[in-house]
């Protein structure tokens, strides 16, 4: 069974523990203030594990003056995690700083998630242009994901792709009741509504992220 780590890089108040119904004792701030101690044993004690076997490195829950992760710290951490896990998934949130850009540079897959509104599509288009123009990623690593898609929305799929200047790689349907039920119960969608259209969509999407079966390891963000 592949080993998977999920890291929340929202600077404070990340929601991943709530979504997974776990109460982690540690967060990545414990690594940034003890970076000289970082090894596989230390890392194993920091990450939490949920019922599905997913290993989680959450963000801090409070403003506790922990050192912010720097690009060199993230490179050291991710290189260690790469040796330990088959897949690493990182939620960068909406903050684009030097550390976030370093993570993007190290990424095998860069998914930019947007929704079907003109302001969000405009911001996504500017982000794409910046990342490509300054070499933080290249087109082969970049994927656009349209979340909460409504077929009869005011901005249709063709208009969205035209505005982005990119083909949309994947569409996540809008299923607010099912999604909110999963979030509020701290239960994965595949347990909350295993036969729903949105779960089928995520299953198919996950398959597209898997590396070639000949490859032993892969990581993506």
């Amino acid at each position: 069974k592949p080993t998977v780590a999920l890291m929340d890089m929202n600077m404070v108040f990340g929601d991943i523990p709530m979504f997974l119904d776990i109460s982690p004792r540690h967060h990545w701030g414990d690594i940034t203030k003890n970076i000289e101690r970082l090894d596989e044993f230390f890392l194993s004690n920091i990450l939490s594990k949920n019922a599905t076997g997913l290993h989680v490195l959450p963000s801090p829950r409070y403003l506790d003056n922990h050192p912010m992760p720097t690009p060199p710290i993230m490179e050291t951490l991710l290189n260690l995690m790469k040796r330990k896990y088959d897949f690493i998934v990182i939620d960068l949130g909406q903050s684009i700083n030097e550390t976030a850009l370093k993570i993007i540079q190290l990424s095998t897959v860069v998914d930019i998630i947007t929704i079907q509104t003109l302001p969000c599509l405009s911001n996504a288009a500017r982000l794409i242009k910046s990342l490509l123009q300054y070499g933080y990623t290249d087109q082969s690593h970049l994927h656009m994901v349209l979340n909460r898609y409504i077929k009869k929305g005011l901005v249709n799929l063709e208009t969205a792709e035209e505005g982005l200047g990119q083909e949309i790689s994947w569409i996540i349907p809008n299923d607010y009741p099912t999604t909110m039920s999963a979030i509020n119960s701290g239960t994965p969608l595949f347990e909350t509504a295993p036969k729903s259209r949105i779960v089928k969509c995520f299953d198919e999407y996950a398959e597209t992220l898997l590396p070639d079966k000949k490859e032993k390891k892969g990581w993506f963000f």
Side-chain angles (χ1 to χ4, degrees), residues 122-149:
S122 175
N123 287 338
R126 287 182 288 180
L127 175 59
I128 293 166
K129 182 177 180 181
S130 298
L131 293 178
L132 295 175
Q133 180 177 344
Y134 293 103
Y136 290 108
T137 189
D138 59 53
Q139 189 64 60
S140 64
H141 293 169
L142 189 65
H143 299 90
M144 284 303 310
V145 179
L146 189 60
N147 192 25
R148 297 174 60 184
Y149 175 68

Side-chain angles (χ1 to χ4, degrees), residues 53-200:
L54 176 68
H55 291 244
V56 181
L57 182 57
S59 63
R61 291 179 291 173
Y62 306 100
L63 294 171
D64 58 1
N65 295 320
H66 54 270
M68 289 291 103
T70 63
I73 285 176
M74 290 310 303
E75 188 164 11
T76 299
L77 172 59
L78 293 176
N79 283 334
L80 177 61
M81 293 181 72
K82 182 182 178 181
R83 297 199 298 268
K84 184 175 177 62
Y85 295 100
D86 296 304
F87 298 97
I88 307 165
V89 183
I90 300 181
D91 178 4
L92 282 181
Q94 299 182 19
S95 175
I96 299 296
N97 52 29
E98 289 184 357
T99 299
L101 292 172
K102 171 54 71 173
I103 292 171
I104 291 170
Q105 279 185 314
L106 295 169
S107 302
T108 304
V109 176
V110 178
D111 281 356
I112 297 178
I113 302 171
T114 187
I115 59 173
Q116 204 172 353
T117 67
L118 290 176
C120 288
L121 291 166
S122 175
N123 287 338
R126 287 182 288 180
L127 175 59
I128 293 166
K129 182 177 180 181
S130 298
L131 293 178
L132 295 175
Q133 180 177 344
Y134 293 103
Y136 290 108
T137 189
D138 59 53
Q139 189 64 60
S140 64
H141 293 169
L142 189 65
H143 299 90
M144 284 303 310
V145 179
L146 189 60
N147 192 25
R148 297 174 60 184
Y149 175 68
I150 302 172
K151 188 173 183 179
K152 295 184 179 180
L154 294 177
V155 180
N156 61 32
L157 190 59
E158 182 180 352
T159 302
E161 290 185 328
E162 183 178 345
L164 291 168
Q166 297 277 326
E167 180 180 348
I168 292 173
S169 303
W170 208 258
I171 296 171
I172 308 296
N174 186 39
D175 189 344
Y176 186 83
T178 301
T179 304
M180 286 300 101
S181 176
I183 289 174
N184 289 328
S185 65
T187 306
L189 272 169
F190 72 87
E191 292 181 9
T192 304
K195 296 183 179 180
S196 64
R197 188 162 64 98
I198 191 169
V199 168
K200 181 181 179 182

